[in-house]
Amino acid sequence: MAQPRILILGAPGAGKGTQSAKITDHFDVDHVTTGDALRANKDMDISDMDTEYDTPREYMDRGELVPDEVVNAIVEEALTQADGFVLDGYPRNLEQAEELEGMTDLDVVLSLDVSEEELVHRLTGRRMDPETGDIYHLEYNPPEDPEVEERLVQRDDDTEETVKERLRVYHENTEPVIEYYDETGALERVDGERAPEEVWEDVKETIESAT
Ligand code: AMP
């Protein structure tokens, strides 16, 4: 059978990145993530696209969505090259969902459900080791090595102010995407407010029974 085509939905901080990494390892698919792709190209010149700002950075640091034109092109390119994928961070509005329909079929659509209070706590406490790219949390998962602890940095958009804006943008733009997939009957909801390993057991089972 061909490799599965998986869409993972959920708010910022719901654990999409963590679960996608496990999916990638276990099901041998590509991880297609617009957030990482944009972070790697934050200063790309998009001024020829008739956008409000000239680079993705200006949208991202404000917690706003990067224009569809930029993001659609990234996803289309990545999906063309992938034999099976987990798509994470896209679609973030109904226009992108429509665009995605024209690009590929999906085998599984997952939603990781986490309460608002927990999302804020997870995002504002999240830190990254700039040397390894490993992700920690000040309270849930602090590094054991004090040297690592000292060099941890916060993602530019994980500050309290930007987190609030990202969650507002999520409710306004992305929740309708989840409702859309729910109405088509394709949506599989997973309780994301548990330890990553427990969530993974459900995620794995859901993918296995849908493919
Ligand atoms: P993430 O790592 O998925 O939380 O994405 C970080 C930021 O990248 C978001 O706050 C947006 O500014 C931008 N971004 C990521 N994916 C998309 C998308 N599908 N559409 C528009 N902007 C996006």
Side-chain angles (χ1 to χ4, degrees), residues 68 72 76 90 94-104:
D68 290 351
N72 292 340
E76 180 137 39
Y90 180 100
L94 287 173
E95 291 75 20
Q96 293 180 7
E98 217 171 274
E99 195 73 22
L100 180 62
E101 286 213 343
M103 290 183 211
T104 183

Side-chain angles (χ1 to χ4, degrees), residues 12 16 34-36 38-39 59-60 63-68 71 88-92 96 155 157 166:
K16 300 190 295 297
T34 47
D36 284 356
L38 289 166
R39 269 186 290 284
Y59 295 92
M60 296 170 81
E64 292 174 20
L65 295 184
V66 175
D68 290 351
V71 185
D88 153 17
Y90 180 100
R92 264 192 158 79
Q96 293 180 7
R155 231 172 82 167
D157 59 353
R166 287 165 68 201

Side-chain angles (χ1 to χ4, degrees), residues 28-135:
D28 191 24
V29 292
D30 285 3
H31 185 194
V32 178
T33 158
T34 47
D36 284 356
L38 289 166
R39 269 186 290 284
N41 295 284
K42 263 188 154 181
D43 294 313
M44 172 173 69
D45 183 0
I46 54 171
S47 57
D48 59 331
M49 288 191 179
D50 195 25
T51 50
E52 188 178 355
Y53 305 118
D54 291 342
T55 62
R57 177 186 296 279
E58 286 156 281
Y59 295 92
M60 296 170 81
D61 288 355
R62 288 175 168 84
E64 292 174 20
L65 295 184
V66 175
D68 290 351
E69 208 183 331
V70 178
V71 185
N72 292 340
I74 291 175
V75 174
E76 180 137 39
E77 170 72 17
L79 295 190
T80 315
Q81 292 175 11
D83 174 24
F85 57 81
V86 54
L87 179 57
D88 153 17
Y90 180 100
R92 264 192 158 79
N93 59 32
L94 287 173
E95 291 75 20
Q96 293 180 7
E98 217 171 274
E99 195 73 22
L100 180 62
E101 286 213 343
M103 290 183 211
T104 183
D105 290 331
L106 297 166
D107 298 309
V108 194
V109 183
L110 294 167
S111 168
L112 294 180
D113 297 342
V114 175
S115 69
E116 181 97 5
E117 195 186 348
E118 175 68 8
L119 292 171
V120 173
H121 194 67
R122 284 187 187 178
L123 290 166
T124 53
R126 179 161 70 176
R127 297 290 184 276
M128 190 188 66
D129 179 348
E131 282 187 22
T132 61
D134 291 343
I135 306 291

